Amino acid sequence: MLARLLALAALLAAPALASEPAAGGPCRDTRFEGVTYTVCEVSAGQDLRLWLTAPDGRPVGSFERLREIAEADGRRLVFAMNAGMYHADRSPVGLYVEEGTEAAPLVSAGGGGNFGLLPNGIFCVADERFAVLETRAFRAAPPACRFATQSGPMLVIGGDLHPRFLPDSDSLYIRNGVGVSADGRRAVFAISRAPVNFHAFARFFRDELDLPDALYLDGSISRLYAPGLGRNEGGRPMGPIVGLLADR
């Protein structure tokens, strides 16, 4: 009888436990091949946005300023991350779209640095879905993006790793990026807690997170705002920032 009562109590308690939010909100730490990564997951329909310029016309530049902007609008910044490469004046290197308005054009040519390590790509926030698209595919059939940022290189392309990544590369950095589920309903942002190479970072998205398409956002300036995990990382001013808003 006691065993039956305990089993019934566990069954009744399970839905309530499952409905409780995780301590870190949408962000959590996980390990892959001996390295810890912080992962923040967003579902289609949530208020995920990109920011570049503040209401006063100056670059947002930092998580603290973005938090203040959100709070002034009666919102709460749930998490945020740097969202692409930028020039010295913090203008985007490639395509940048905010609230449906293109602020910087698509760049399809190759070049130096990680951005020019083709193929590169675009992260797009559309109505009720997300996408990570290789730049040539985006140019051939551009979707209607409410927000978009171009960066590079692509990490995972249709389930395949970028062809120029080397398993034994000694180019090690803290890195961050974004991947999208096959149905476009989930966007997953990740940042490594230790320096990793491109090959390891791409395999984390493909093999651990099971995401068929993923895009590199940056390396040496990579940082995260995740108050649920006690993280609010400063540093030199940023260009584009991606973040999730919620009601206060």
Side-chain angles (χ1 to χ4, degrees), residues 154-166:
M154 289 285 289
L155 297 170
V156 188
I157 312 157
D160 295 325
L161 303 189
H162 192 292
R164 295 181 61 183
F165 293 169
L166 302 175

Side-chain angles (χ1 to χ4, degrees), residues 181-205:
S181 61
D183 63 3
R185 300 290 297 172
R186 293 186 302 121
V188 184
F189 297 85
I191 182 169
S192 65
R193 298 293 295 267
V196 293
N197 64 27
F198 273 131
H199 199 278
F201 194 45
R203 283 188 288 104
F204 174 69
F205 278 96

Side-chain angles (χ1 to χ4, degrees), residues 82-94:
N82 55 293
M85 298 166 189
Y86 52 92
H87 298 290
D89 63 358
R90 286 181 267 169
S91 62
V93 171

